[in-house]
Amino acid sequence: MEEYLSTLLSQIRCEKARNLVNAEIRGHIEDQAEENRKKGMSEAQALEAAVKDMGDPVEAGVMLDQIHRPQAAWGMILLMAVISLVSVLIHVVIGINADDTMVYSGRQYILRSAGSVLIGFGAMLAVYRIDYSFMGKFAKIIAAVCVIFLALLFFVPGLSLTLNGSIGYIPIGSGTISIKYGLLLLVPIYGALLYQYRGSGYKGLLKSLLWMFSIVFLTICLPAISMAAELLLMMGVLLTMAVWKGWFGTARKRILAAFWSVAAGGPMLLAAQLFLSGRLAGYQTERFRYFLSGDTSKYDYTGTMLKSCLTQMKVLGAGEKSTAVTVPCFNSDYILTFLGTFYGLIAAILVCLVLLFVTFRIFRISIRQKNQLGMIMGCGCGLVFLVSILTNIAQNLSLLPRMGSFLPLFSFGGTGIVVCYVLIGIILSVYRYKNVLPVHLGESAAIGRGQQFGLKGGDQSPTEM
Amino acid sequence: MAIDKTLVSGSMTMLLLKLLSEQDMYGYEMIDTLRQRSQNVFELKAGTLYPLLHSLEDKGLLGVYEKEVLGKTRKYYSITREGKHLLKNKEEEWKKYSNAVASVLALA
């Protein structure tokens, strides 16, 4: 039997995939041998007949090798290349037309936007090459480091930069890293955490909730309330998936009903409390007040400008350009309004559709993934895209109060851009190993770890083939 | 009577999909069921079965999950919606084909 298995497995070039095949074929031979024994064959005969029944190991191995090898989602990589190019071109145009109202000069601006896309693309390819199960294995450590770092921000002055009352920026070189956008990377990591607590019952569920609430709580304290709400929503959906799939073996409906009522009601109470006690940063209190006052036209400059841009937009071609460039953050938060005004409504809609298509692809790859860690991490990436895109569209249409948001892959800004590329890198890695990793990593993978083809003690009878 | 191999292999995808449309099964169970139902005409080699199953899974026609039965972790296959769709097409194609063969043979 071992000879058969090692001949078959040696045809499969991807070593990681061998474990996946090994367990299944071995189980089959054992089943057949047992059946043969029941028919009255001796131990040796039963195993010999079972192996003979399998057919030619080389032929089977070659066929399996064709299927089980790392795969590249070329379509997705190509799509990303095109999106990157368009995104850079958009910002080159903005840079060329830059006036002195902008923070950077035209040349600086172009270099910065192209630079972050380049760094992002590089990061995407790097993450793509890493086996995501490796990231999954260290999920707890990664999450713990992030939570400790976030907590330290409040105690160690100088670790972060305070901008507009928010401490969420880390100075690096001549720029800053936005912590709040960086936190989005924790969503797929949270998925991996959930996977690690699989099978540990209510205790695992409790730990998962503790992780979620500590991340959300620290984000609120930054303060980055809208990001905290987004994180709560995205992690909540992942938790719902895990509970629904029975990962914790707990009651499902009651737990989920309780979770969502706390998750939806709690933040509203907390926000009200923070607002009333005056612990928000100055600009946040102002935004709340304006939004609550109902008639925002008197106070809300951005909102008024956005509305006027929207009414002046043409379906195709440039509308009234002068208003669009006076919208604050027109090149980042309100890039859609900018595109709509400069190139027509069609351009803005097209960009949204392309991004929604990318999101759809992410979810499709994830859901089709048999490895459950890849499935949940992939869904985490998809959720970040979906929630960010929808929030940003709502912002551009003035459907939500003013808050920082970004359009994935298109908004100007280092951290947001790089984070999106890393998320795409994760999904590419999930796709890459889709035929290589088993449904669950623990048991099947453990067989092959110690010995090359997973020789189990009991199998080594003198009669083996 | 020995049956020509190529006659069987062409329709094997359909047969496997049919089995799985009735209930989820693991590899050995499929071979065993096929053997019994076809009165030993379909002696499918496991070396052929697994590459076929894995490629059907890759194409999204089958799904897999692991389940522990009597202390053994087994890999179960289930048919997806796309798999059911293909099965329906293949069945129709097969009926047409076998009717045509039957009519030609009847004429001769």
mmCIF file of all heavy atoms in Angstrom, chain A residues 197-243:
data_model
loop_
_atom_site.group_PDB
_atom_site.id
_atom_site.type_symbol
_atom_site.label_atom_id
_atom_site.label_comp_id
_atom_site.label_asym_id
_atom_site.label_seq_id
_atom_site.Cartn_x
_atom_site.Cartn_y
_atom_site.Cartn_z
ATOM 1 N N TYR A 197 -11.168 29.243 16.419
ATOM 2 C CA TYR A 197 -12.005 28.899 17.571
ATOM 3 C C TYR A 197 -13.063 27.861 17.211
ATOM 4 O O TYR A 197 -13.915 27.524 18.020
ATOM 5 C CB TYR A 197 -12.683 30.153 18.129
ATOM 6 C CG TYR A 197 -11.721 31.069 18.844
ATOM 7 C CD1 TYR A 197 -11.607 32.406 18.501
ATOM 8 C CD2 TYR A 197 -10.906 30.579 19.858
ATOM 9 C CE1 TYR A 197 -10.717 33.238 19.143
ATOM 10 C CE2 TYR A 197 -10.011 31.399 20.507
ATOM 11 C CZ TYR A 197 -9.917 32.729 20.146
ATOM 12 O OH TYR A 197 -9.028 33.543 20.789
ATOM 13 N N ARG A 198 -13.012 27.392 15.973
ATOM 14 C CA ARG A 198 -13.975 26.405 15.500
ATOM 15 C C ARG A 198 -13.949 25.177 16.421
ATOM 16 O O ARG A 198 -12.895 24.677 16.768
ATOM 17 C CB ARG A 198 -13.590 25.977 14.088
ATOM 18 C CG ARG A 198 -14.604 25.227 13.313
ATOM 19 C CD ARG A 198 -14.057 25.017 11.927
ATOM 20 N NE ARG A 198 -12.773 24.319 11.973
ATOM 21 C CZ ARG A 198 -12.640 22.999 11.894
ATOM 22 N NH1 ARG A 198 -13.674 22.244 11.715
ATOM 23 N NH2 ARG A 198 -11.438 22.439 11.966
ATOM 24 N N GLY A 199 -15.123 24.750 16.806
ATOM 25 C CA GLY A 199 -15.198 23.540 17.614
ATOM 26 C C GLY A 199 -14.933 23.749 19.089
ATOM 27 O O GLY A 199 -14.837 22.792 19.844
ATOM 28 N N SER A 200 -14.800 25.007 19.528
ATOM 29 C CA SER A 200 -14.522 25.206 20.946
ATOM 30 C C SER A 200 -15.743 25.743 21.700
ATOM 31 O O SER A 200 -15.607 26.336 22.760
ATOM 32 C CB SER A 200 -13.306 26.105 21.142
ATOM 33 O OG SER A 200 -13.469 27.298 20.431
ATOM 34 N N GLY A 201 -16.932 25.562 21.142
ATOM 35 C CA GLY A 201 -18.173 25.828 21.862
ATOM 36 C C GLY A 201 -18.373 27.272 22.294
ATOM 37 O O GLY A 201 -17.849 28.191 21.671
ATOM 38 N N TYR A 202 -19.124 27.431 23.384
ATOM 39 C CA TYR A 202 -19.460 28.775 23.866
ATOM 40 C C TYR A 202 -18.216 29.560 24.275
ATOM 41 O O TYR A 202 -18.177 30.780 24.181
ATOM 42 C CB TYR A 202 -20.440 28.687 25.032
ATOM 43 C CG TYR A 202 -21.855 28.431 24.559
ATOM 44 C CD1 TYR A 202 -22.392 27.153 24.528
ATOM 45 C CD2 TYR A 202 -22.662 29.487 24.109
ATOM 46 C CE1 TYR A 202 -23.681 26.920 24.062
ATOM 47 C CE2 TYR A 202 -23.942 29.266 23.646
ATOM 48 C CZ TYR A 202 -24.451 27.976 23.630
ATOM 49 O OH TYR A 202 -25.717 27.765 23.157
ATOM 50 N N LYS A 203 -17.186 28.814 24.742
ATOM 51 C CA LYS A 203 -15.948 29.481 25.137
ATOM 52 C C LYS A 203 -15.319 30.176 23.914
ATOM 53 O O LYS A 203 -14.885 31.324 23.998
ATOM 54 C CB LYS A 203 -14.975 28.434 25.693
ATOM 55 C CG LYS A 203 -14.065 28.966 26.770
ATOM 56 C CD LYS A 203 -13.343 27.825 27.459
ATOM 57 C CE LYS A 203 -11.852 27.993 27.356
ATOM 58 N NZ LYS A 203 -11.110 26.811 27.793
ATOM 59 N N GLY A 204 -15.297 29.459 22.791
ATOM 60 C CA GLY A 204 -14.741 30.027 21.566
ATOM 61 C C GLY A 204 -15.552 31.216 21.090
ATOM 62 O O GLY A 204 -15.012 32.227 20.639
ATOM 63 N N LEU A 205 -16.872 31.076 21.219
ATOM 64 C CA LEU A 205 -17.771 32.156 20.798
ATOM 65 C C LEU A 205 -17.511 33.405 21.634
ATOM 66 O O LEU A 205 -17.422 34.519 21.109
ATOM 67 C CB LEU A 205 -19.225 31.692 20.951
ATOM 68 C CG LEU A 205 -20.305 32.669 20.541
ATOM 69 C CD1 LEU A 205 -20.237 32.950 19.050
ATOM 70 C CD2 LEU A 205 -21.677 32.142 20.905
ATOM 71 N N LEU A 206 -17.357 33.195 22.933
ATOM 72 C CA LEU A 206 -17.110 34.307 23.849
ATOM 73 C C LEU A 206 -15.790 34.999 23.497
ATOM 74 O O LEU A 206 -15.706 36.226 23.434
ATOM 75 C CB LEU A 206 -17.060 33.770 25.280
ATOM 76 C CG LEU A 206 -17.156 34.842 26.354
ATOM 77 C CD1 LEU A 206 -18.553 35.434 26.390
ATOM 78 C CD2 LEU A 206 -16.784 34.267 27.716
ATOM 79 N N LYS A 207 -14.768 34.183 23.246
ATOM 80 C CA LYS A 207 -13.460 34.761 22.887
ATOM 81 C C LYS A 207 -13.571 35.557 21.590
ATOM 82 O O LYS A 207 -13.000 36.637 21.456
ATOM 83 C CB LYS A 207 -12.418 33.659 22.737
ATOM 84 C CG LYS A 207 -11.914 33.138 24.061
ATOM 85 C CD LYS A 207 -10.856 32.074 23.836
ATOM 86 C CE LYS A 207 -10.438 31.421 25.138
ATOM 87 N NZ LYS A 207 -9.639 30.224 24.901
ATOM 88 N N SER A 208 -14.316 35.006 20.609
ATOM 89 C CA SER A 208 -14.492 35.713 19.333
ATOM 90 C C SER A 208 -15.154 37.061 19.567
ATOM 91 O O SER A 208 -14.780 38.064 18.960
ATOM 92 C CB SER A 208 -15.356 34.894 18.385
ATOM 93 O OG SER A 208 -14.862 33.595 18.269
ATOM 94 N N LEU A 209 -16.157 37.073 20.449
ATOM 95 C CA LEU A 209 -16.859 38.327 20.745
ATOM 96 C C LEU A 209 -15.930 39.313 21.445
ATOM 97 O O LEU A 209 -15.939 40.509 21.138
ATOM 98 C CB LEU A 209 -18.076 38.049 21.634
ATOM 99 C CG LEU A 209 -19.275 37.425 20.918
ATOM 100 C CD1 LEU A 209 -20.307 36.946 21.928
ATOM 101 C CD2 LEU A 209 -19.902 38.417 19.950
ATOM 102 N N LEU A 210 -15.100 38.798 22.354
ATOM 103 C CA LEU A 210 -14.164 39.676 23.060
ATOM 104 C C LEU A 210 -13.189 40.342 22.101
ATOM 105 O O LEU A 210 -12.918 41.531 22.189
ATOM 106 C CB LEU A 210 -13.380 38.870 24.103
ATOM 107 C CG LEU A 210 -14.068 38.720 25.459
ATOM 108 C CD1 LEU A 210 -13.244 37.831 26.374
ATOM 109 C CD2 LEU A 210 -14.258 40.102 26.093
ATOM 110 N N TRP A 211 -12.676 39.554 21.164
ATOM 111 C CA TRP A 211 -11.763 40.120 20.154
ATOM 112 C C TRP A 211 -12.473 41.233 19.395
ATOM 113 O O TRP A 211 -11.942 42.311 19.199
ATOM 114 C CB TRP A 211 -11.325 39.047 19.151
ATOM 115 C CG TRP A 211 -10.184 38.212 19.616
ATOM 116 C CD1 TRP A 211 -10.231 36.897 19.959
ATOM 117 C CD2 TRP A 211 -8.811 38.600 19.760
ATOM 118 N NE1 TRP A 211 -8.983 36.454 20.325
ATOM 119 C CE2 TRP A 211 -8.099 37.466 20.209
ATOM 120 C CE3 TRP A 211 -8.115 39.795 19.560
ATOM 121 C CZ2 TRP A 211 -6.722 37.495 20.455
ATOM 122 C CZ3 TRP A 211 -6.751 39.819 19.806
ATOM 123 C CH2 TRP A 211 -6.067 38.685 20.247
ATOM 124 N N MET A 212 -13.694 40.936 18.951
ATOM 125 C CA MET A 212 -14.422 41.907 18.144
ATOM 126 C C MET A 212 -14.640 43.193 18.930
ATOM 127 O O MET A 212 -14.335 44.289 18.462
ATOM 128 C CB MET A 212 -15.771 41.329 17.722
ATOM 129 C CG MET A 212 -16.546 42.256 16.814
ATOM 130 S SD MET A 212 -18.279 41.809 16.657
ATOM 131 C CE MET A 212 -18.176 40.179 16.000
ATOM 132 N N PHE A 213 -15.140 43.048 20.156
ATOM 133 C CA PHE A 213 -15.477 44.248 20.904
ATOM 134 C C PHE A 213 -14.239 45.032 21.318
ATOM 135 O O PHE A 213 -14.271 46.255 21.373
ATOM 136 C CB PHE A 213 -16.364 43.906 22.102
ATOM 137 C CG PHE A 213 -17.768 43.582 21.677
ATOM 138 C CD1 PHE A 213 -18.373 42.378 22.013
ATOM 139 C CD2 PHE A 213 -18.486 44.477 20.883
ATOM 140 C CE1 PHE A 213 -19.657 42.074 21.581
ATOM 141 C CE2 PHE A 213 -19.778 44.184 20.456
ATOM 142 C CZ PHE A 213 -20.364 42.984 20.802
ATOM 143 N N SER A 214 -13.118 44.349 21.577
ATOM 144 C CA SER A 214 -11.934 45.129 21.940
ATOM 145 C C SER A 214 -11.420 45.915 20.738
ATOM 146 O O SER A 214 -11.014 47.069 20.881
ATOM 147 C CB SER A 214 -10.841 44.248 22.564
ATOM 148 O OG SER A 214 -10.615 43.127 21.772
ATOM 149 N N ILE A 215 -11.474 45.314 19.559
ATOM 150 C CA ILE A 215 -11.034 46.048 18.360
ATOM 151 C C ILE A 215 -11.963 47.238 18.103
ATOM 152 O O ILE A 215 -11.521 48.365 17.878
ATOM 153 C CB ILE A 215 -11.000 45.113 17.126
ATOM 154 C CG1 ILE A 215 -9.896 44.061 17.294
ATOM 155 C CG2 ILE A 215 -10.760 45.916 15.843
ATOM 156 C CD1 ILE A 215 -9.942 42.937 16.285
ATOM 157 N N VAL A 216 -13.275 46.968 18.177
ATOM 158 C CA VAL A 216 -14.248 48.041 17.907
ATOM 159 C C VAL A 216 -14.132 49.142 18.961
ATOM 160 O O VAL A 216 -14.134 50.342 18.629
ATOM 161 C CB VAL A 216 -15.676 47.457 17.853
ATOM 162 C CG1 VAL A 216 -16.723 48.572 17.784
ATOM 163 C CG2 VAL A 216 -15.826 46.548 16.640
ATOM 164 N N PHE A 217 -13.986 48.746 20.215
ATOM 165 C CA PHE A 217 -13.904 49.742 21.289
ATOM 166 C C PHE A 217 -12.692 50.658 21.094
ATOM 167 O O PHE A 217 -12.796 51.880 21.182
ATOM 168 C CB PHE A 217 -13.815 49.033 22.651
ATOM 169 C CG PHE A 217 -13.643 49.977 23.797
ATOM 170 C CD1 PHE A 217 -14.705 50.763 24.224
ATOM 171 C CD2 PHE A 217 -12.420 50.107 24.440
ATOM 172 C CE1 PHE A 217 -14.552 51.661 25.277
ATOM 173 C CE2 PHE A 217 -12.253 51.007 25.489
ATOM 174 C CZ PHE A 217 -13.323 51.778 25.912
ATOM 175 N N LEU A 218 -11.532 50.054 20.804
ATOM 176 C CA LEU A 218 -10.331 50.872 20.611
ATOM 177 C C LEU A 218 -10.474 51.790 19.405
ATOM 178 O O LEU A 218 -9.961 52.911 19.406
ATOM 179 C CB LEU A 218 -9.107 49.964 20.461
ATOM 180 C CG LEU A 218 -8.657 49.282 21.759
ATOM 181 C CD1 LEU A 218 -7.665 48.178 21.483
ATOM 182 C CD2 LEU A 218 -8.057 50.312 22.717
ATOM 183 N N THR A 219 -11.181 51.311 18.377
ATOM 184 C CA THR A 219 -11.391 52.150 17.188
ATOM 185 C C THR A 219 -12.267 53.353 17.541
ATOM 186 O O THR A 219 -12.033 54.465 17.076
ATOM 187 C CB THR A 219 -12.046 51.328 16.070
ATOM 188 O OG1 THR A 219 -11.339 50.115 15.933
ATOM 189 C CG2 THR A 219 -12.020 52.072 14.755
ATOM 190 N N ILE A 220 -13.279 53.109 18.389
ATOM 191 C CA ILE A 220 -14.141 54.213 18.814
ATOM 192 C C ILE A 220 -13.302 55.253 19.564
ATOM 193 O O ILE A 220 -13.465 56.451 19.384
ATOM 194 C CB ILE A 220 -15.271 53.693 19.739
ATOM 195 C CG1 ILE A 220 -16.231 52.822 18.931
ATOM 196 C CG2 ILE A 220 -16.032 54.850 20.382
ATOM 197 C CD1 ILE A 220 -17.289 52.146 19.762
ATOM 198 N N CYS A 221 -12.369 54.758 20.376
ATOM 199 C CA CYS A 221 -11.562 55.672 21.192
ATOM 200 C C CYS A 221 -10.581 56.502 20.378
ATOM 201 O O CYS A 221 -10.045 57.485 20.866
ATOM 202 C CB CYS A 221 -10.801 54.889 22.261
ATOM 203 S SG CYS A 221 -11.889 54.098 23.427
ATOM 204 N N LEU A 222 -10.315 56.076 19.146
ATOM 205 C CA LEU A 222 -9.274 56.786 18.349
ATOM 206 C C LEU A 222 -9.480 58.302 18.251
ATOM 207 O O LEU A 222 -8.488 59.033 18.333
ATOM 208 C CB LEU A 222 -9.210 56.196 16.931
ATOM 209 C CG LEU A 222 -8.256 55.016 16.732
ATOM 210 C CD1 LEU A 222 -8.339 54.506 15.320
ATOM 211 C CD2 LEU A 222 -6.849 55.338 17.115
ATOM 212 N N PRO A 223 -10.582 58.907 18.011
ATOM 213 C CA PRO A 223 -11.866 58.284 17.727
ATOM 214 C C PRO A 223 -12.103 58.179 16.227
ATOM 215 O O PRO A 223 -11.840 59.119 15.484
ATOM 216 C CB PRO A 223 -12.848 59.274 18.337
ATOM 217 C CG PRO A 223 -12.134 60.588 18.298
ATOM 218 C CD PRO A 223 -10.671 60.338 18.193
ATOM 219 N N ALA A 224 -12.605 57.022 15.823
ATOM 220 C CA ALA A 224 -12.984 56.831 14.415
ATOM 221 C C ALA A 224 -14.295 56.055 14.425
ATOM 222 O O ALA A 224 -14.311 54.853 14.252
ATOM 223 C CB ALA A 224 -11.895 56.065 13.667
ATOM 224 N N ILE A 225 -15.347 56.781 14.700
ATOM 225 C CA ILE A 225 -16.619 56.117 14.988
ATOM 226 C C ILE A 225 -17.218 55.429 13.771
ATOM 227 O O ILE A 225 -17.689 54.292 13.845
ATOM 228 C CB ILE A 225 -17.613 57.129 15.598
ATOM 229 C CG1 ILE A 225 -17.072 57.506 16.972
ATOM 230 C CG2 ILE A 225 -19.006 56.521 15.741
ATOM 231 C CD1 ILE A 225 -17.795 58.590 17.663
ATOM 232 N N SER A 226 -17.150 56.102 12.609
ATOM 233 C CA SER A 226 -17.755 55.459 11.436
ATOM 234 C C SER A 226 -16.991 54.185 11.092
ATOM 235 O O SER A 226 -17.589 53.166 10.724
ATOM 236 C CB SER A 226 -17.769 56.417 10.250
ATOM 237 O OG SER A 226 -16.468 56.879 9.989
ATOM 238 N N MET A 227 -15.653 54.231 11.250
ATOM 239 C CA MET A 227 -14.871 53.028 10.972
ATOM 240 C C MET A 227 -15.219 51.926 11.974
ATOM 241 O O MET A 227 -15.327 50.755 11.607
ATOM 242 C CB MET A 227 -13.373 53.354 11.044
ATOM 243 C CG MET A 227 -12.446 52.189 10.782
ATOM 244 S SD MET A 227 -12.762 51.333 9.231
ATOM 245 C CE MET A 227 -12.320 52.594 8.051
ATOM 246 N N ALA A 228 -15.442 52.314 13.236
ATOM 247 C CA ALA A 228 -15.818 51.324 14.242
ATOM 248 C C ALA A 228 -17.133 50.653 13.848
ATOM 249 O O ALA A 228 -17.278 49.428 13.952
ATOM 250 C CB ALA A 228 -15.950 51.981 15.607
ATOM 251 N N ALA A 229 -18.070 51.456 13.364
ATOM 252 C CA ALA A 229 -19.363 50.897 12.951
ATOM 253 C C ALA A 229 -19.170 49.944 11.776
ATOM 254 O O ALA A 229 -19.753 48.858 11.734
ATOM 255 C CB ALA A 229 -20.317 52.026 12.569
ATOM 256 N N GLU A 230 -18.313 50.359 10.825
ATOM 257 C CA GLU A 230 -18.062 49.493 9.665
ATOM 258 C C GLU A 230 -17.416 48.180 10.100
ATOM 259 O O GLU A 230 -17.797 47.103 9.646
ATOM 260 C CB GLU A 230 -17.153 50.202 8.653
ATOM 261 C CG GLU A 230 -17.873 51.271 7.836
ATOM 262 C CD GLU A 230 -16.957 51.944 6.825
ATOM 263 O OE1 GLU A 230 -16.019 51.292 6.330
ATOM 264 O OE2 GLU A 230 -17.175 53.134 6.536
ATOM 265 N N LEU A 231 -16.429 48.298 10.990
ATOM 266 C CA LEU A 231 -15.744 47.087 11.463
ATOM 267 C C LEU A 231 -16.717 46.159 12.185
ATOM 268 O O LEU A 231 -16.709 44.946 11.984
ATOM 269 C CB LEU A 231 -14.589 47.456 12.409
ATOM 270 C CG LEU A 231 -13.340 48.052 11.761
ATOM 271 C CD1 LEU A 231 -12.372 48.533 12.826
ATOM 272 C CD2 LEU A 231 -12.652 47.009 10.869
ATOM 273 N N LEU A 232 -17.575 46.750 13.011
ATOM 274 C CA LEU A 232 -18.558 45.961 13.757
ATOM 275 C C LEU A 232 -19.473 45.219 12.781
ATOM 276 O O LEU A 232 -19.746 44.025 12.949
ATOM 277 C CB LEU A 232 -19.382 46.879 14.665
ATOM 278 C CG LEU A 232 -20.403 46.187 15.546
ATOM 279 C CD1 LEU A 232 -19.703 45.353 16.607
ATOM 280 C CD2 LEU A 232 -21.319 47.202 16.232
ATOM 281 N N LEU A 233 -19.894 45.928 11.747
ATOM 282 C CA LEU A 233 -20.779 45.313 10.755
ATOM 283 C C LEU A 233 -20.080 44.149 10.043
ATOM 284 O O LEU A 233 -20.611 43.041 9.939
ATOM 285 C CB LEU A 233 -21.207 46.380 9.740
ATOM 286 C CG LEU A 233 -22.041 45.888 8.558
ATOM 287 C CD1 LEU A 233 -23.400 45.413 9.032
ATOM 288 C CD2 LEU A 233 -22.212 46.994 7.523
ATOM 289 N N MET A 234 -18.838 44.412 9.588
ATOM 290 C CA MET A 234 -18.139 43.392 8.801
ATOM 291 C C MET A 234 -17.785 42.180 9.664
ATOM 292 O O MET A 234 -18.008 41.033 9.268
ATOM 293 C CB MET A 234 -16.873 43.999 8.185
ATOM 294 C CG MET A 234 -17.201 45.091 7.181
ATOM 295 S SD MET A 234 -15.765 45.737 6.334
ATOM 296 C CE MET A 234 -15.252 47.048 7.377
ATOM 297 N N MET A 235 -17.234 42.429 10.859
ATOM 298 C CA MET A 235 -16.883 41.308 11.730
ATOM 299 C C MET A 235 -18.146 40.592 12.178
ATOM 300 O O MET A 235 -18.149 39.365 12.329
ATOM 301 C CB MET A 235 -16.112 41.814 12.952
ATOM 302 C CG MET A 235 -14.739 42.352 12.609
ATOM 303 S SD MET A 235 -13.888 42.809 14.131
ATOM 304 C CE MET A 235 -12.487 43.648 13.482
ATOM 305 N N GLY A 236 -19.222 41.357 12.384
ATOM 306 C CA GLY A 236 -20.491 40.751 12.785
ATOM 307 C C GLY A 236 -21.007 39.787 11.731
ATOM 308 O O GLY A 236 -21.500 38.696 12.044
ATOM 309 N N VAL A 237 -20.869 40.174 10.456
ATOM 310 C CA VAL A 237 -21.324 39.288 9.378
ATOM 311 C C VAL A 237 -20.488 38.008 9.372
ATOM 312 O O VAL A 237 -21.021 36.897 9.237
ATOM 313 C CB VAL A 237 -21.253 40.003 8.009
ATOM 314 C CG1 VAL A 237 -21.529 39.031 6.876
ATOM 315 C CG2 VAL A 237 -22.251 41.153 7.958
ATOM 316 N N LEU A 238 -19.168 38.155 9.563
ATOM 317 C CA LEU A 238 -18.303 36.964 9.588
ATOM 318 C C LEU A 238 -18.682 36.048 10.754
ATOM 319 O O LEU A 238 -18.758 34.826 10.604
ATOM 320 C CB LEU A 238 -16.829 37.372 9.707
ATOM 321 C CG LEU A 238 -16.205 38.041 8.481
ATOM 322 C CD1 LEU A 238 -14.735 38.334 8.730
ATOM 323 C CD2 LEU A 238 -16.346 37.167 7.237
ATOM 324 N N LEU A 239 -18.942 36.663 11.910
ATOM 325 C CA LEU A 239 -19.331 35.876 13.086
ATOM 326 C C LEU A 239 -20.650 35.144 12.803
ATOM 327 O O LEU A 239 -20.805 33.965 13.143
ATOM 328 C CB LEU A 239 -19.491 36.791 14.301
ATOM 329 C CG LEU A 239 -19.818 36.050 15.594
ATOM 330 C CD1 LEU A 239 -18.542 35.496 16.222
ATOM 331 C CD2 LEU A 239 -20.527 36.939 16.597
ATOM 332 N N THR A 240 -21.564 35.859 12.153
ATOM 333 C CA THR A 240 -22.850 35.245 11.807
ATOM 334 C C THR A 240 -22.635 34.013 10.926
ATOM 335 O O THR A 240 -23.245 32.959 11.144
ATOM 336 C CB THR A 240 -23.732 36.271 11.055
ATOM 337 O OG1 THR A 240 -23.850 37.429 11.879
ATOM 338 C CG2 THR A 240 -25.110 35.708 10.779
ATOM 339 N N MET A 241 -21.743 34.164 9.937
ATOM 340 C CA MET A 241 -21.461 33.024 9.052
ATOM 341 C C MET A 241 -20.928 31.838 9.855
ATOM 342 O O MET A 241 -21.342 30.697 9.653
ATOM 343 C CB MET A 241 -20.419 33.419 7.989
ATOM 344 C CG MET A 241 -20.973 34.358 6.934
ATOM 345 S SD MET A 241 -19.662 34.945 5.848
ATOM 346 C CE MET A 241 -19.201 33.430 5.060
ATOM 347 N N ALA A 242 -19.990 32.143 10.770
ATOM 348 C CA ALA A 242 -19.366 31.072 11.555
ATOM 349 C C ALA A 242 -20.398 30.382 12.444
ATOM 350 O O ALA A 242 -20.450 29.151 12.504
ATOM 351 C CB ALA A 242 -18.226 31.639 12.398
ATOM 352 N N VAL A 243 -21.231 31.184 13.106
ATOM 353 C CA VAL A 243 -22.253 30.601 13.986
ATOM 354 C C VAL A 243 -23.238 29.789 13.149
ATOM 355 O O VAL A 243 -23.623 28.681 13.510
ATOM 356 C CB VAL A 243 -22.990 31.716 14.774
ATOM 357 C CG1 VAL A 243 -24.196 31.152 15.517
ATOM 358 C CG2 VAL A 243 -22.045 32.380 15.760
#
